[in-house]
Amino acid sequence: MSVIYTVKDFSHLLGLTGFSDTMLNNHFTLYQGYVKNVNILMEKLISMTDQLSIEASELERRFGWEFDGMRMHELYFENMTKEKSEMGGELKEKIEKAYGSYEQWLDCFKAKGMMRGIGWVVLFEDPANGELFTTWVREHEQGLPATGKILLVMDCWEHAYMTDYGLKKADYINSFVNVIDWKTVEKRLSTK
Ligand SMILES: [Fe+2]
């Protein structure tokens, strides 16, 4: 198998407050599965002689799910930290412009996290006008706004919290908010 994408190591997150090592290690293993499958799919799709076959179509349909599953997990693990982190001025200004205050944005972010079903809550920047908005992305790839710059992602699939929190998703969301790496989030702004 040709390797185009390699697994990133997020083991530095072990010991993260509110996240057991068991839950994190399971999550890393799930992420590694996406990377592996992206490599397999790329190789298979390139080598298929009949691109119009049912097999090729089904693999093609699967590609976005696997690729975004890989990328969304990388963004998620990268926007968490064991260090104390505070939001910088530029991001704070943009959030206040869009939501009135950080607290109002946080209420919105948490409420979206409580949506039923599997998916992600994502804070986006529209690079066309610099505006921020928060939305729900279903599975990994459905509802991703075209050209939207992903600033912050929170995994709301059950595997992200059930090991430690059971059905107490709100508690997981609170723990996640406490470990957001705001420096990394701010670096994702299109102006950086
Ligand atoms: Fe996940």
Side-chain angles (χ1 to χ4, degrees):
M1 185 183 81
S2 58
V3 175
I4 299 166
Y5 293 97
T6 52
V7 164
K8 292 187 180 179
D9 179 15
F10 296 107
S11 60
H12 63 275
L13 289 175
L14 293 173
L16 190 66
T17 302
F19 293 72
S20 70
D21 287 356
T22 301
M23 188 165 79
L24 282 172
N25 278 320
N26 285 340
H27 212 162
F28 298 153
T29 304
L30 286 170
Y31 152 66
Q32 288 158 15
Y34 288 103
V35 180
K36 183 182 167 195
N37 281 359
V38 168
N39 286 319
I40 290 171
L41 277 177
M42 282 197 146
E43 189 171 34
K44 279 185 187 286
L45 282 165
I46 288 165
S47 65
M48 285 193 112
T49 47
D50 184 359
Q51 293 287 333
L52 296 177
S53 66
I54 290 171
E55 290 79 8
S57 296
E58 288 310 307
L59 291 180
E60 201 67 59
R61 279 185 231 281
R62 196 175 175 82
F63 182 75
W65 188 80
E66 296 283 4
F67 189 91
D68 285 5
M70 172 178 74
R71 281 285 184 259
M72 292 296 267
H73 279 99
E74 289 168 352
L75 290 160
Y76 171 69
F77 293 132
E78 283 163 7
N79 64 212
M80 293 195 288
T81 181
K82 286 155 85 174
E83 312 295 322
K84 193 169 163 43
S85 181
E86 282 183 16
M87 190 185 293
E90 186 178 353
L91 187 62
K92 197 163 183 283
E93 236 171 68
K94 280 176 172 284
I95 283 183
E96 285 170 354
K97 183 173 176 240
Y99 290 88
S101 68
Y102 165 76
E103 289 72 23
Q104 279 172 284
W105 166 79
L106 190 59
D107 286 346
C108 164
F109 185 80
K110 287 181 174 180
K112 289 185 196 298
M114 291 304 291
M115 274 179 59
R116 287 166 59 77
I118 49 169
W120 303 77
V121 181
V122 186
L123 173 64
F124 284 97
E125 180 195 31
D126 183 350
N129 58 13
E131 296 293 330
L132 301 194
F133 58 97
T134 306
T135 192
W136 172 264
V137 172
R138 197 173 139 204
E139 301 227 356
H140 304 309
E141 82 287 26
Q142 297 173 41
L144 268 176
T147 75
K149 190 100 172 42
I150 294 175
L151 303 182
L152 170 68
V153 304
M154 175 170 66
D155 194 337
C156 286
W157 284 55
E158 280 132 357
H159 63 250
Y161 61 90
M162 284 201 87
T163 307
D164 290 354
Y165 294 94
L167 294 175
K168 293 178 180 166
K169 195 181 186 186
D171 291 349
Y172 156 71
I173 292 170
N174 284 332
S175 292
F176 172 79
V177 167
N178 287 336
V179 298
I180 293 173
D181 183 349
W182 288 112
K183 270 197 191 118
T184 295
V185 175
E186 190 151 14
K187 272 188 213 150
R188 292 173 181 164
L189 285 167
S190 59
T191 47
K192 300 286 173 184

